[in-house]
Amino acid sequence: MSERPFSVLGLQQIAVGAADKGALRALWVDLFGLEIEGSFQSEKENVDEEIAVLGTGPFKVEVDLMQPLDPDKKPKVHEPPLNHIGLWIDDLPAAVEWLSAQGCRFAPGGIRKGASGYDVCFVHPKANEASPIGGAGVLIELVQAPPEVIEAFRKLAAS
């Protein structure tokens, strides 16, 4: 295996889903005290989400509260309830190229803009014959970290 040309810096987000995001809001916002920072809707991705956050600055973590626009259509963002985790990556194109060469399976769509405006791509939750490494049942979003996040995590690691 060749040397990894990228670093996973930290957790960028978790995304949780329910048939009605009201129950998620009651837990994450009303009880846990997270703040709603934004929202996102996409018919293509069948999602209506609110973006709650915890922490501040470059160490802020999103908790995406998602419900399907149509519970009978795919993708079913509420099944499983822990929809995906997102990881900050310092060099997303290098990560995708290297991981692909190692046999990692990616979900269709390639690198694209995500709901928060960062470039993202997804490691498929399931491996297949052509790509024998997947997320072992978990959808994993790789998120291109902006320069200030990269710098903050590197300073933290050096201290």
Side-chain angles (χ1 to χ4, degrees), residues 104-127:
C104 187
R105 181 180 182 196
F106 286 89
I111 296 175
R112 60 193 178 277
K113 288 286 181 215
S116 294
Y118 304 110
D119 283 350
V120 302
C121 69
F122 291 87
V123 173
H124 198 286
K126 297 178 183 176

Short mmCIF file of all heavy atoms in Angstrom, two decimals, residues 104-127:
data_model
loop_
_atom_site.label_atom_id
_atom_site.label_comp_id
_atom_site.label_asym_id
_atom_site.label_seq_id
_atom_site.Cartn_x
_atom_site.Cartn_y
_atom_site.Cartn_z
N CYS A 104 -11.50 1.14 -2.64
CA CYS A 104 -12.64 1.73 -1.92
C CYS A 104 -13.75 2.07 -2.91
O CYS A 104 -13.50 2.62 -3.99
CB CYS A 104 -12.17 2.99 -1.19
SG CYS A 104 -13.40 3.70 -0.10
N ARG A 105 -14.98 1.74 -2.53
CA ARG A 105 -16.15 2.01 -3.37
C ARG A 105 -16.76 3.35 -2.97
O ARG A 105 -17.00 3.62 -1.79
CB ARG A 105 -17.19 0.90 -3.20
CG ARG A 105 -18.41 1.10 -4.06
CD ARG A 105 -19.42 0.00 -3.87
NE ARG A 105 -20.55 0.19 -4.74
CZ ARG A 105 -21.71 -0.44 -4.57
NH1 ARG A 105 -21.86 -1.33 -3.59
NH2 ARG A 105 -22.71 -0.20 -5.39
N PHE A 106 -17.04 4.16 -3.97
CA PHE A 106 -17.69 5.45 -3.76
C PHE A 106 -19.10 5.42 -4.31
O PHE A 106 -19.39 4.73 -5.29
CB PHE A 106 -16.89 6.58 -4.42
CG PHE A 106 -15.64 6.93 -3.67
CD1 PHE A 106 -14.45 6.28 -3.95
CD2 PHE A 106 -15.66 7.89 -2.67
CE1 PHE A 106 -13.30 6.57 -3.23
CE2 PHE A 106 -14.52 8.19 -1.95
CZ PHE A 106 -13.34 7.54 -2.22
N ALA A 107 -19.99 6.16 -3.67
CA ALA A 107 -21.36 6.31 -4.15
C ALA A 107 -21.33 7.12 -5.46
O ALA A 107 -20.41 7.91 -5.67
CB ALA A 107 -22.22 7.00 -3.10
N PRO A 108 -22.33 6.93 -6.32
CA PRO A 108 -22.38 7.70 -7.56
C PRO A 108 -22.41 9.20 -7.29
O PRO A 108 -22.90 9.65 -6.26
CB PRO A 108 -23.69 7.24 -8.21
CG PRO A 108 -23.99 5.92 -7.59
CD PRO A 108 -23.43 5.99 -6.19
N GLY A 109 -21.90 9.97 -8.22
CA GLY A 109 -21.97 11.43 -8.11
C GLY A 109 -20.62 12.11 -8.02
O GLY A 109 -20.51 13.30 -8.26
N GLY A 110 -19.59 11.38 -7.63
CA GLY A 110 -18.26 11.96 -7.55
C GLY A 110 -18.17 13.12 -6.57
O GLY A 110 -19.03 13.30 -5.70
N ILE A 111 -17.13 13.92 -6.73
CA ILE A 111 -16.94 15.10 -5.88
C ILE A 111 -17.90 16.18 -6.37
O ILE A 111 -17.99 16.46 -7.55
CB ILE A 111 -15.48 15.60 -5.94
CG1 ILE A 111 -14.54 14.54 -5.36
CG2 ILE A 111 -15.34 16.92 -5.20
CD1 ILE A 111 -13.06 14.88 -5.49
N ARG A 112 -18.62 16.78 -5.41
CA ARG A 112 -19.61 17.81 -5.74
C ARG A 112 -19.80 18.71 -4.53
O ARG A 112 -19.33 18.40 -3.45
CB ARG A 112 -20.92 17.17 -6.15
CG ARG A 112 -21.52 16.27 -5.05
CD ARG A 112 -22.64 15.41 -5.61
NE ARG A 112 -23.22 14.51 -4.65
CZ ARG A 112 -22.73 13.32 -4.31
NH1 ARG A 112 -21.60 12.89 -4.83
NH2 ARG A 112 -23.37 12.54 -3.46
N LYS A 113 -20.52 19.80 -4.71
CA LYS A 113 -20.83 20.71 -3.60
C LYS A 113 -21.87 20.06 -2.70
O LYS A 113 -22.89 19.55 -3.17
CB LYS A 113 -21.39 22.04 -4.10
CG LYS A 113 -20.36 22.93 -4.74
CD LYS A 113 -19.44 23.56 -3.72
CE LYS A 113 -18.44 24.47 -4.42
NZ LYS A 113 -17.14 24.45 -3.76
N GLY A 114 -21.62 20.08 -1.39
CA GLY A 114 -22.56 19.55 -0.42
C GLY A 114 -23.49 20.62 0.11
O GLY A 114 -23.41 21.79 -0.30
N ALA A 115 -24.36 20.25 1.03
CA ALA A 115 -25.38 21.15 1.57
C ALA A 115 -24.76 22.36 2.25
O ALA A 115 -25.36 23.44 2.26
CB ALA A 115 -26.27 20.39 2.57
N SER A 116 -23.57 22.23 2.82
CA SER A 116 -22.92 23.35 3.51
C SER A 116 -21.97 24.14 2.61
O SER A 116 -21.27 25.03 3.08
CB SER A 116 -22.16 22.84 4.74
OG SER A 116 -23.07 22.33 5.68
N GLY A 117 -21.92 23.78 1.33
CA GLY A 117 -21.10 24.52 0.39
C GLY A 117 -19.69 24.00 0.20
O GLY A 117 -18.93 24.55 -0.61
N TYR A 118 -19.31 22.96 0.91
CA TYR A 118 -17.98 22.36 0.75
C TYR A 118 -18.04 21.25 -0.29
O TYR A 118 -19.08 20.62 -0.47
CB TYR A 118 -17.50 21.76 2.08
CG TYR A 118 -17.47 22.74 3.22
CD1 TYR A 118 -18.37 22.61 4.27
CD2 TYR A 118 -16.54 23.78 3.26
CE1 TYR A 118 -18.35 23.51 5.33
CE2 TYR A 118 -16.53 24.67 4.31
CZ TYR A 118 -17.43 24.54 5.35
OH TYR A 118 -17.41 25.43 6.39
N ASP A 119 -16.91 20.99 -0.94
CA ASP A 119 -16.84 19.84 -1.83
C ASP A 119 -16.92 18.56 -1.00
O ASP A 119 -16.28 18.47 0.06
CB ASP A 119 -15.54 19.85 -2.63
CG ASP A 119 -15.55 20.85 -3.77
OD1 ASP A 119 -16.62 21.41 -4.08
OD2 ASP A 119 -14.47 21.07 -4.36
N VAL A 120 -17.70 17.60 -1.47
CA VAL A 120 -17.91 16.34 -0.76
C VAL A 120 -17.96 15.18 -1.74
O VAL A 120 -18.17 15.37 -2.93
CB VAL A 120 -19.24 16.35 0.05
CG1 VAL A 120 -19.28 17.50 1.05
CG2 VAL A 120 -20.46 16.41 -0.86
N CYS A 121 -17.78 13.99 -1.21
CA CYS A 121 -18.11 12.75 -1.91
C CYS A 121 -18.38 11.71 -0.83
O CYS A 121 -18.09 11.94 0.35
CB CYS A 121 -17.02 12.32 -2.88
SG CYS A 121 -15.54 11.78 -2.08
N PHE A 122 -18.95 10.60 -1.22
CA PHE A 122 -19.41 9.61 -0.25
C PHE A 122 -18.79 8.24 -0.49
O PHE A 122 -18.81 7.74 -1.62
CB PHE A 122 -20.93 9.47 -0.31
CG PHE A 122 -21.67 10.68 0.18
CD1 PHE A 122 -21.95 11.73 -0.68
CD2 PHE A 122 -22.08 10.77 1.50
CE1 PHE A 122 -22.64 12.85 -0.23
CE2 PHE A 122 -22.76 11.87 1.96
CZ PHE A 122 -23.04 12.93 1.09
N VAL A 123 -18.26 7.65 0.58
CA VAL A 123 -17.84 6.26 0.54
C VAL A 123 -19.12 5.44 0.66
O VAL A 123 -19.93 5.65 1.59
CB VAL A 123 -16.87 5.92 1.69
CG1 VAL A 123 -16.58 4.43 1.74
CG2 VAL A 123 -15.58 6.73 1.54
N HIS A 124 -19.34 4.54 -0.27
CA HIS A 124 -20.55 3.71 -0.29
C HIS A 124 -20.58 2.82 0.95
O HIS A 124 -19.55 2.33 1.39
CB HIS A 124 -20.57 2.85 -1.55
CG HIS A 124 -21.91 2.30 -1.88
ND1 HIS A 124 -22.49 1.26 -1.18
CD2 HIS A 124 -22.79 2.66 -2.85
CE1 HIS A 124 -23.67 1.00 -1.70
NE2 HIS A 124 -23.88 1.82 -2.71
N PRO A 125 -21.76 2.62 1.54
CA PRO A 125 -21.82 1.77 2.73
C PRO A 125 -21.52 0.29 2.46
O PRO A 125 -21.18 -0.44 3.39
CB PRO A 125 -23.26 1.94 3.23
CG PRO A 125 -24.02 2.53 2.11
CD PRO A 125 -23.06 3.23 1.22
N LYS A 126 -21.60 -0.12 1.21
CA LYS A 126 -21.37 -1.53 0.89
C LYS A 126 -20.27 -1.68 -0.15
O LYS A 126 -20.23 -0.94 -1.13
CB LYS A 126 -22.65 -2.18 0.35
CG LYS A 126 -23.79 -2.20 1.34
CD LYS A 126 -25.03 -2.79 0.71
CE LYS A 126 -26.19 -2.75 1.69
NZ LYS A 126 -27.44 -3.23 1.08
N ALA A 127 -19.41 -2.66 0.06
CA ALA A 127 -18.40 -3.01 -0.93
C ALA A 127 -19.09 -3.81 -2.04
O ALA A 127 -20.24 -4.23 -1.90
CB ALA A 127 -17.32 -3.85 -0.26
#
